[in-house]
Amino acid sequence: MARIVMKFGGTSVADIERIKNVANRVKREVESGNEVAVVVSAMSGVTNQLVAWCNQMAPLHDAREYDTVVATGEQVTTGLLAIALQELGLSARSWCGWQLPIHTDGVHGKARIMSIETAEMIERMGKGEVAVVAGFQGLGPDRRIATLGRGGSDTSAVALAAALKADRCDIYTDVDGVYTTDPRIVTKARKLDKITYEEMLELASVGAKVLQTRSVEMAMKHRVRVQVLSSFEDKPGTLVCDEDEIVEKELVSGIAYSRDEAKVTLVRVSDRPGVAAAIFGPLAEAAVNVDMIVQNVSEDGKSTDLTFTVGNADLERAKKVLEDHQGELGYAKLISDPNVVKVSVIGVGMRSHAGIAQKMFQTLASEGINIQVISTSEIKISVLIEEKYTELALRALHTAYGLDAA
């Protein structure tokens, strides 16, 4: 007997028929002799509608009341799935986040999970009852409902799996696993049988939409084995696990891209101590997240050009902050470019193999693609290129690193 947490996203529970389909999948796990807890999202489109109503009522609404409204989507799904399971002859009970409870911090709208009380749930699961838990929500220190922010149901599922000491957390979605790159762009993309936590975290952070970043961080921290599966097809998925579980590690596991990038260049900034802090301090205070950074010192050694990237949605805010501080920063000109994309090559094999970066640069050069900014980590190399070359770059790199399906 294993203890399994199954998580189903919005498209998986989009209507009554799909909820019945989920119930049948849960029944199969129970009939295999497993103890099962299920975490569900709101039905597809419901959360968007609830958020829209809050914004229509008052653009600057009380975050606590916002949480009260948007948390209802998951409550509906838990009740409906519990009913569907009961109709199949299973013992099932729904749980809202505040009923366990799932304790969070007090940051309404984007709360973080602090702890989960599972004693009663474990006792009931031991007697054969399926626990159906509302994702995305918990109980704040003010005793009010707190939501975890977009993608929070994945985090709920992994956190619950950690608290239950589950053998595995199965996340069912509208894709059937983690691919070497976006299969909509590269038809030769391959589905991976296994991928390490570190690789999945890097993929999630640079544009892959399969798993939410916070959920992967939590899985890595608590060593929760996560399996990504399709809600609509019965086929093997991808296991996200410890590096030790993967016998033959790929040199490069995946190539990701993010279109949510904009480039900012400050021309002829004074080259003196403290200038970087003077630039990035006000941006941080304005909640603008800066990603890639490159600095070029001029020949006279007195000035420098500073280039960095921000999210597309933050570009106008970043420009305003920098323009407001132009007097103290003393730059000659601000140039912005939203038509860029970040392409990243990821793999734990980079730790022990040289030449990965050279192959990336050589491949892009042979396709006539100019690299604007470079950043690296232990298992990732990211470059910024013109957006129009996205598909060409992905296909060329996928082939260059031997990732094409046979």
Side-chain angles (χ1 to χ4, degrees):
M1 180 187 290
R3 186 176 290 166
I4 307 293
V5 172
M6 305 172 73
K7 185 266 172 178
F8 294 90
T11 54
S12 307
V13 291
D15 53 39
I16 295 298
E17 285 308 310
R18 288 190 177 180
I19 291 173
K20 287 180 177 178
N21 177 54
V22 166
N24 282 312
R25 281 187 174 270
V26 173
K27 185 182 181 183
R28 287 205 294 273
E29 285 289 354
V30 173
E31 288 176 343
S32 298
N34 297 326
E35 291 182 5
V36 180
V38 188
V39 175
V40 290
S41 299
M43 296 163 81
S44 186
V46 167
T47 302
N48 287 340
Q49 179 62 76
L50 295 169
V51 170
W53 282 339
C54 289
N55 290 332
Q56 285 170 31
M57 191 59 70
L60 296 174
H61 43 253
D62 186 328
R64 294 165 297 186
E65 302 307 338
Y66 167 91
D67 278 355
T68 300
V69 174
V70 298
T72 60
E74 283 72 19
Q75 184 172 325
V76 170
T77 319
T78 55
L80 289 173
L81 180 55
I83 292 169
L85 290 166
Q86 290 165 4
E87 283 294 291
L88 294 175
L90 298 176
S91 174
R93 184 59 60 208
S94 65
W95 300 77
C96 290
W98 57 267
Q99 288 175 301
L100 278 168
I102 297 170
H103 294 289
T104 73
D105 63 16
V107 185
H108 285 275
K110 49 182 178 181
R112 299 187 78 84
I113 295 172
M114 309 306 289
S115 64
I116 305 178
E117 295 181 28
T118 57
E120 187 180 351
M121 180 183 286
I122 288 171
E123 184 184 337
R124 290 186 179 212
M125 288 170 66
K127 295 174 181 175
E129 184 175 283
V130 177
V132 185
V133 182
F136 176 65
Q137 61 178 249
L139 183 70
D142 54 3
R143 304 288 297 166
R144 296 189 62 91
I145 293 170
T147 64
L148 309 182
R150 283 310 176 97
S153 291
D154 280 0
T155 307
S156 299
V158 174
L160 184 62
L164 291 171
K165 295 183 171 53
D167 296 273
R168 199 177 65 243
C169 179
D170 289 345
I171 294 187
Y172 289 84
T173 181
D174 48 7
V175 297
D176 62 352
V178 181
Y179 280 75
T180 47
T181 194
D182 189 340
R184 294 168 300 180
I185 293 177
V186 182
T187 54
K188 293 179 178 178
R190 288 187 291 112
K191 184 167 66 179
L192 298 166
D193 295 327
K194 292 181 179 179
I195 187 169
T196 69
Y197 296 118
E198 291 87 350
E199 289 169 326
M200 191 66 240
L201 188 58
E202 292 283 17
L203 282 169
S205 69
V206 293
K209 305 294 185 189
V210 181
L211 288 175
Q212 201 260 352
T213 309
R214 275 168 64 190
S215 68
V216 184
E217 285 174 348
M218 187 164 287
M220 184 163 68
K221 179 181 177 182
H222 297 285
R223 289 300 185 256
V224 174
R225 298 166 82 246
V226 175
Q227 188 171 217
V228 180
L229 298 152
S230 169
S231 293
F232 311 112
E233 298 177 271
D234 279 324
K235 55 167 66 171
T238 300
L239 184 67
V240 185
C241 58
D242 225 324
E243 197 173 331
D244 297 343
E245 279 197 59
I246 302 175
V247 180
E248 280 200 55
K249 299 177 184 68
E250 300 267 6
L251 193 61
V252 167
S253 290
I255 299 166
Y257 68 100
S258 171
R259 297 186 193 274
D260 181 31
E261 304 290 331
K263 184 177 71 167
V264 178
T265 300
L266 298 179
V267 179
R268 291 202 299 280
V269 180
S270 176
D271 188 23
R272 56 179 168 77
V275 72
I279 292 168
F280 296 120
L283 290 172
E285 287 167 17
V288 174
N289 188 39
V290 174
D291 184 16
M292 309 169 85
I293 304 171
V294 65
Q295 184 175 8
N296 298 311
V297 179
S298 63
E299 286 183 16
D300 62 11
K302 294 178 181 177
S303 64
T304 179
D305 292 349
L306 191 69
T307 298
F308 57 90
T309 62
V310 299
N312 258 320
D314 290 334
L315 178 59
E316 292 307 316
R317 190 151 32 119
K319 285 165 61 177
K320 184 175 188 319
V321 168
L322 293 168
E323 285 161 2
D324 289 347
H325 289 78
Q326 183 172 11
E328 62 196 83
L329 297 175
Y331 60 85
K333 186 166 56 171
L334 187 157
I335 303 168
S336 64
D337 182 4
N339 300 311
V340 291
V341 67
K342 179 168 67 175
V343 176
S344 304
V345 170
I346 293 140
V348 289
M350 291 185 194
R351 289 181 182 142
S352 53
H353 288 80
I356 306 291
Q358 184 210 2
K359 181 171 282 191
M360 185 181 199
F361 305 151
Q362 206 169 43
T363 301
L364 294 175
S366 67
E367 298 291 346
I369 301 171
N370 185 46
I371 296 170
Q372 301 178 17
V373 184
I374 302 166
S375 71
T376 64
S377 74
E378 191 180 23
I379 64 166
K380 177 189 72 180
I381 305 160
S382 297
V383 297
L384 200 71
I385 62 172
E386 277 190 77
E387 187 178 24
K388 66 182 180 181
Y389 293 119
T390 305
E391 296 185 8
L392 176 61
L394 285 177
R395 292 189 185 114
L397 290 169
H398 200 267
T399 300
Y401 289 107
L403 295 174
D404 289 355

